[in-house]
């Protein structure tokens, strides 16, 4: 239940005054409430928890996190040479 | 899948383990707070890859697990009343109350249904106006905004036959309780990335100052968790205690402003007894007076029983990080996912279920031989 996972927003609609949408999780599409991510657009990734998007994934921040981790990998490889 | 596969990269995982090994000079005990994190750790065996000096203990971050038995009894009792339809997340229905669980209540004729999202429960109420639809709302600050939204929506659309049992809880009071206890051995925390996605990170600063422990806001994939551990170990080794954010792709300092705004309107802080803990001040969210009409507890005059946990189940110690699931004598013998004695064996986020699912019992048996 708490395992929020990222998916890509493929559709945004209004349903009874609520910002709703469809999110694609690697081929499986689910209806999700987008009211808490007013800034998110089609094509953006969002973290979804219990049928609600709770954040728009910041792609630059994701890239930085990975870059930091990969630097360690390179460092270690060099030390082992 | 994007944002998942990269964060499970085996080469990066190995590199991070190497980094942690190189940085650790003394033994450290770190608690991951969230049950989702516990699952990743156990499923990928991250705890077994780490140097022996770094011990990960599992925290109280399984919302189903910390819901007190009295609250479950209250929901079961309500479900047996005429015209009531009780809905909740699947895990919640299998948690034993003092005599049975909600699935048993259903087998005995109660109308109990599983929902994926609280919005499904509201939809059900609108489709079946002759029934009283009650959503049993459990979860930490990650889930609380979803309940806030349905309550707000129910009020806006004037849905008279919908209400919620609000059993939401907050993480910071639990961290405070763990750090304040005499038997505490936790020296640093990996805070739950999705709780902080909603709440931001400022709530953790007073804890860091008061107890001088590092708190790293951490994500849920193997790379995230190991990076969180590396950041925590670095602080411990250097004698620093700060709040740091490993999970910046989802967590902003201020959290999710829209979600926090609606939560502040719909909920109010109350004291609550948690499973495994004493009554924790301001640790839970109840519906505010403005939304009293949607509060099932008030609508149906419900009261919590003071039922006790079965003595055999050591969930309290497991949830406070004092005992690992394998150290519970019932684990895998009288307590299994098919016949759980306690909530941590039921929930997808419970530590006991995580260990069982990862086959840790068999592994321990082989090692003993
Ligand atoms: S293994 Fe079962 S009995 Fe033991 S603490 Fe976990 S849930 Fe309780």
């Amino acid at each position: 239940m708490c395992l929020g996972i990222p998916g890509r927003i493929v559709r945004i609609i209004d349903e009874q005054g609520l910002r709703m949408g469809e999110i694609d999780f690697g081929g499986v599409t689910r209806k999700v409430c987008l009211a808490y991510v007013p800034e998110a657009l089609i094509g953006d990734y969002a973290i979804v928890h219990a049928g609600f998007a709770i954040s728009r994934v910041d792609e630059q921040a994701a890239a930085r996190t990975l870059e930091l981790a990969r630097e360690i990998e390179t460092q270690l490889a060099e030390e082992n040479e | 899948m994007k944002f998942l596969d990269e964060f499970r990269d085996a080469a990066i995982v190995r590199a991070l383990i190497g980094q942690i090994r190189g940085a650790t000079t003394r033994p450290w005990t770190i608690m991951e707070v969230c049950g989702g994190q516990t699952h990743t750790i156990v499923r990928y065996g991250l705890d077994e890859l780490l140097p022996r000096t770094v011990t990960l203990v599992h925290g109280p971050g399984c919302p189903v697990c910390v819901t007190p038995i009295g609250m479950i009894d209250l929901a079961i009792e309500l479900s047996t009343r005429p015209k009531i339809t009780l809905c909740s997340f699947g895990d919640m229905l299998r948690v034993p109350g003092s005599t049975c669980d909600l699935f048993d209540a259903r087998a005995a004729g109660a109308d109990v249904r599983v929902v994926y999202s609280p919005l499904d429960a509201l939809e059900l109420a609108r489709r079946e106006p002759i029934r009283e639809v009650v959503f049993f709302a459990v979860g930490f600050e990650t889930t609380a905004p979803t309940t806030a939204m349905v309550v707000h929506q129910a009020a806006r659309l004037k849905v008279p036959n919908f209400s919620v049992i609000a059993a939401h809880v907050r993480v910071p009071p639990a961290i405070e309780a763990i750090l304040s206890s005499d038997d505490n051995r936790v020296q640093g925390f990996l805070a739950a990335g999705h709780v902080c996605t909603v709440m931001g990170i400022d709530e953790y600063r007073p804890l860091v100052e008061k107890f001088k422990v590092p708190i790293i806001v951490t994500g849920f994939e193997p790379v995230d968790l190991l990076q969180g551990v590396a950041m925590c170990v670095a602080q411990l080794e250097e004698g620093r205690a700060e709040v740091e954010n490993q999970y910046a792709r989802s967590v902003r300092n201020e959290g999710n402003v829209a979600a926090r705004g609606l939560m502040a309107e719909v909920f109010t802080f109350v004291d609550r007894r948690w499973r495994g803990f004493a009554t924790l001040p301001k640790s839970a969210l109840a519906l505010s007076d403005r939304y009293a009409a949607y509060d099932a507890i008030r609508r149906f005059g419900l009261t919590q029983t003071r039922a006790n946990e079965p003595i055999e189940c050591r969930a309290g110690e497991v949830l406070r990080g004092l005992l690992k699931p394998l150290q519970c004598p019932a684990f895998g013998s009288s307590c299994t996912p098919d016949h759980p004695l306690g909530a941590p064996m039921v929930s997808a986020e419970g530590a006991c279920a995580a260990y069982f699912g990862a086959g840790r019992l068999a592994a321990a048996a082989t090692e003993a031989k």
Side-chain angles (χ1 to χ4, degrees):
Chain A
M1 170 181 100
C2 244
L3 312 172
I5 50 164
R8 197 168 56 90
I9 302 174
V10 292
R11 207 158 97 93
I12 298 175
I13 45 167
D14 178 284
E15 238 182 58
Q16 286 151 348
L18 255 197
R19 189 172 199 251
M20 299 289 293
E22 276 169 20
I23 291 199
D24 172 49
F25 300 97
V28 184
T29 315
R30 287 203 103 136
K31 195 159 127 190
V32 159
C33 178
L34 299 175
Y36 288 135
V37 289
E39 76 284 13
L41 305 170
I42 288 178
D44 283 346
Y45 279 77
I47 306 267
V48 177
H49 172 78
F52 284 70
I54 54 168
S55 71
R56 188 182 70 84
V57 179
D58 180 336
E59 307 217 6
Q60 280 175 356
R64 273 196 302 277
T65 305
L66 277 173
E67 214 173 285
L68 265 177
R70 288 208 178 100
E71 266 169 34
I72 311 263
E73 197 190 337
T74 333
Q75 247 174 42
L76 243 78
E78 279 166 11
E79 277 167 28
N80 288 343
E81 263 169 22
Chain B
M1 248 167 85
K2 200 173 171 192
F3 300 119
L4 285 182
D5 297 339
E6 315 95 287
F7 291 92
R8 295 177 182 172
D9 186 299
I12 303 182
V13 163
R14 268 195 303 276
L16 286 165
I17 296 277
Q19 185 198 19
I20 295 164
R21 190 164 284 138
T24 315
T25 64
R26 274 165 289 170
W28 299 113
T29 300
I30 300 170
M31 174 179 274
E32 87 279 357
V33 171
C34 174
Q37 295 172 326
T38 305
H39 261 254
T40 306
I41 289 166
V42 177
R43 175 152 158 238
Y44 290 90
L46 302 182
D47 51 339
E48 292 170 334
L49 293 172
L50 285 170
R52 281 187 189 279
T53 39
V54 177
T55 308
L56 292 181
V57 295
H58 317 311
C62 158
V64 167
C65 302
V66 300
T67 305
I69 227 165
M71 204 85 184
I72 296 163
D73 284 349
L74 164 160
I76 293 172
E77 191 269 312
L78 178 62
S79 77
T80 61
R81 297 193 196 176
K83 277 212 199 147
I84 297 281
T85 295
L86 192 106
C87 350
S88 195
F89 301 121
D91 281 353
M92 206 56 225
L93 306 191
R94 294 183 49 227
V95 177
S98 53
T99 53
C100 66
D101 62 32
L102 278 160
F103 273 127
D104 296 331
R106 176 160 87 178
D111 185 10
V112 174
R113 305 193 201 176
V114 177
V115 289
Y116 163 71
S117 158
L119 281 171
D120 300 341
L122 182 61
E123 185 50 38
L124 195 66
R126 301 189 68 198
R127 262 202 328 260
E128 300 187 28
I130 51 157
R131 300 201 61 86
E132 277 285 343
V133 176
V134 181
F135 177 59
F136 187 12
V138 287
F140 284 98
E141 297 96 320
T142 328
T143 323
T146 70
T147 302
M149 186 61 82
V150 278
V151 170
H152 178 258
Q153 188 73 349
R156 211 171 57 81
L157 302 174
K158 300 198 172 54
V159 184
N161 60 325
F162 178 77
S163 57
V164 305
I165 300 174
H168 291 296
V169 280
R170 302 173 55 229
V171 168
I175 294 188
E176 169 124 36
I178 288 169
L179 287 171
S180 308
S181 83
D182 296 336
D183 48 8
N184 172 53
R185 56 200 181 103
V186 179
Q187 294 161 296
F189 283 90
L190 306 184
H194 290 146
V195 166
C196 297
T197 293
V198 171
M199 298 308 291
I201 65 179
D202 289 338
E203 285 187 310
Y204 295 87
R205 297 195 202 281
L207 288 168
V208 161
E209 269 159 40
K210 183 170 172 194
F211 295 99
K212 305 277 179 277
V213 291
I215 299 184
I216 318 292
V217 176
T218 306
F220 296 82
E221 297 304 323
V223 167
D224 293 320
L225 283 152
L226 291 175
Q227 212 170 37
V229 171
M231 289 162 83
C232 196
V233 166
Q235 283 202 36
L236 289 165
E237 290 282 342
E238 292 163 29
R240 284 185 295 130
E242 292 162 19
V243 182
E244 282 185 286
N245 183 8
Q246 181 278 330
Y247 196 43
R249 65 185 184 280
S250 179
V251 178
R252 332 276 181 251
N253 283 356
E254 68 283 8
N256 184 319
V257 177
R260 288 179 63 183
L262 195 60
M263 281 168 74
E265 182 182 315
V266 172
F267 295 120
T268 154
F269 290 172
V270 289
D271 302 349
R272 180 151 317 137
R273 184 174 167 209
W274 292 34
R275 189 188 299 250
F277 290 82
T279 298
L280 301 180
K282 296 201 167 85
S283 65
L285 301 169
L287 290 195
S288 62
D289 287 341
R290 181 165 164 190
Y291 290 92
Y294 295 91
D295 186 349
I297 301 198
R298 287 183 251 196
R299 185 180 291 188
F300 302 104
L302 306 175
T303 43
Q304 241 195 86
T305 62
R306 278 202 72 98
N308 287 319
E309 312 296 327
I311 301 163
E312 215 187 338
C313 174
R314 309 279 295 268
E317 289 150 277
V318 170
L319 290 167
R320 276 177 290 150
L322 299 175
L323 197 80
K324 295 245 179 161
L326 281 178
Q327 294 168 308
C328 170
F331 180 92
S333 53
S334 54
C335 181
T336 63
D338 286 338
H339 295 280
L341 284 181
M345 187 58 97
V346 173
S347 166
E349 291 162 81
C352 301
Y355 273 66
F356 195 93
R360 285 285 168 98
L361 185 63
T366 322
E367 209 167 285
K369 271 181 209 157

